[in-house]
Amino acid sequence: NFSVDSEVRSSFIQRRLRNQERREMQREILSILGLPHRPRPHLHTKHNAAPMFMLDLYNTISTDTEPHGYSYYKTVLPTQTSSVVTPQDSRFLDDADTVMSFVNLIDRDQDLLFQQHTREFRFDLSRIPEGEAITAAEFRIYKDFIQERNENETFRVRVYQVLREPPNSEVELLLLDQREVWASEEGWLVFDLTTTSNLWLVNPEQNLGLHLVLEDSNGQKRNPQMAGLATGNGPQDKQPFLVVFFKANEVRLRSVR
Amino acid sequence: SAHGHKGRQSNRSKPQRTVQDALKAVEAATENLGISKEGCKKHELYVSFRDLGWQDWIIAPEGYAAYYCEGECAFPLNSYMNATNHAIVQTLVHFINPETVPKPCCAPTQLHGISVLYFDDGSNVILKKYRNMVVRACGCH
């Protein structure tokens, strides 16, 4: 049963769709959405920070003033950690036709480099919308306020692209971006990954992921959690993620039905 | 003038239909067919993702008001009906030659887009802008 809770439905056919009608309707609307079939997402990832950030983006562009979004999100994810949409994100968003967020494919226990205080991240960019070019990409990682540290203490966060992983020698890395952070800082750190994402798109075999390294003020590698970085085993709504903005570079023709 | 269909001689001797005849014809047709005399305008139509059972993968919105256009484009086109100049001429010619020239059609004159936020199979999240999904205004074309 569905509630007739909004006047918009007042003149709509007041009856349940029959199964056949529903299937027809679903097929037609999926073709409008440009989807070959209806997705079946894993339940557990719904708590990630990415959906919250994307919901913020959605509400930024939704025409109505009342923020959208399922009650699911209003109850499940606390809003205080919802990643804030920066003015830069809004500019990217204005120019984009599609935005995608990607979850980190490396689980904490798979992260073999964990002992050496290096965190590894991998994102699957193979399922991106056809005929769209990347206009911007950001790697986002949450930093908590660190209580037990001297608030004037600083750390350096470096993000590297993995260039080569030779079997018997050191990994070859390219420094992409770095950021000085205070122990007392809190919020999302944003690293520009536009060039790297475009490279991974054109040469998927070069997509070997990212390494994140934290150094203290003496240049010593330290455990990223020491600076409050949520690198993978923190609460789900602070999971690091990649967000990519796309612009359609051709008119998408619907598949023949 | 609108030429008759191929093969049929336009019968010059036939008295030119007067506008009055046409008016009578239209009134008769309307009464018989019970066609609503309502002019071309926008009507409500709501597409509910929830009713399609998609709330497990579409995060927002729960659906959207798509609307549709319906109503007569009959001469004289009222001021509230957006009409192209061509449509005005066509309604008049339809009057005079209803078998030859159809009425103009009632269709969207302005369409707006919507954005949809949803999960893909890999549980990545996609925010996509779709153009021309909502009727903003209807008119006679």
Side-chain angles (χ1 to χ4, degrees), chain A residues 198-210:
Chain A
N198 268 301
L199 170 73
W200 288 348
L201 193 61
V202 175
N203 307 296
E205 70 286 354
Q206 294 191 30
N207 180 350
L208 302 175
L210 302 174

Side-chain angles (χ1 to χ4, degrees), chain B:
Chain B
S1 72
H3 297 292
H5 289 299
K6 261 201 200 72
R8 233 179 50 206
Q9 291 306 315
S10 61
N11 181 348
R12 294 259 176 240
S13 60
K14 188 174 81 177
Q16 187 64 25
R17 292 191 63 138
T18 62
V19 175
Q20 277 62 37
D21 292 355
L23 267 174
K24 286 193 200 96
V26 169
E27 265 146 34
T30 312
E31 268 130 39
N32 294 348
L33 298 177
I35 294 174
S36 76
K37 290 199 175 155
E38 219 175 334
C40 168
K41 70 175 190 176
K42 185 169 92 166
H43 298 263
E44 288 158 348
L45 169 69
Y46 187 77
V47 177
S48 165
F49 295 139
R50 180 191 288 257
D51 291 352
L52 291 171
W54 284 351
Q55 56 269 46
D56 65 315
W57 63 277
I58 291 188
I59 302 171
E62 297 185 357
Y64 66 95
Y67 299 104
Y68 68 95
C69 299
E70 190 195 28
E72 265 219 311
C73 289
F75 187 82
L77 292 176
N78 298 330
S79 55
Y80 71 82
M81 287 198 261
N82 305 321
T84 58
N85 291 335
H86 176 272
I88 292 170
V89 171
Q90 186 168 333
T91 51
L92 188 59
V93 176
H94 168 75
F95 239 0
I96 300 166
N97 284 298
E99 309 81 20
T100 313
V101 171
K103 283 192 194 107
C105 63
C106 174
T109 52
Q110 268 184 57
L111 287 162
H112 269 227
I114 64 166
S115 300
V116 179
L117 185 68
Y118 61 93
F119 284 104
D120 71 3
D121 282 320
S123 297
N124 297 316
V125 182
I126 295 167
L127 169 57
K128 200 161 178 64
K129 298 176 186 172
Y130 291 96
R131 297 189 173 83
N132 303 331
M133 298 282 271
V134 174
V135 174
R136 200 70 172 189
C138 298
C140 295
H141 290 263

Side-chain angles (χ1 to χ4, degrees), chain A residues 43-49 51-52 55 69-82 235-238, chain B residues 59 119:
Chain A
L43 206 55
H44 70 279
T45 53
K46 288 192 173 180
H47 297 266
N48 282 357
M52 200 62 219
L55 198 52
Y70 267 10
S71 52
Y72 174 88
Y73 283 94
K74 285 171 193 147
T75 51
V76 165
L77 290 177
T79 49
Q80 80 272 4
T81 59
S82 79
Q236 284 197 299
D237 61 345
K238 296 181 183 174
Chain B
I59 302 171
F119 284 104

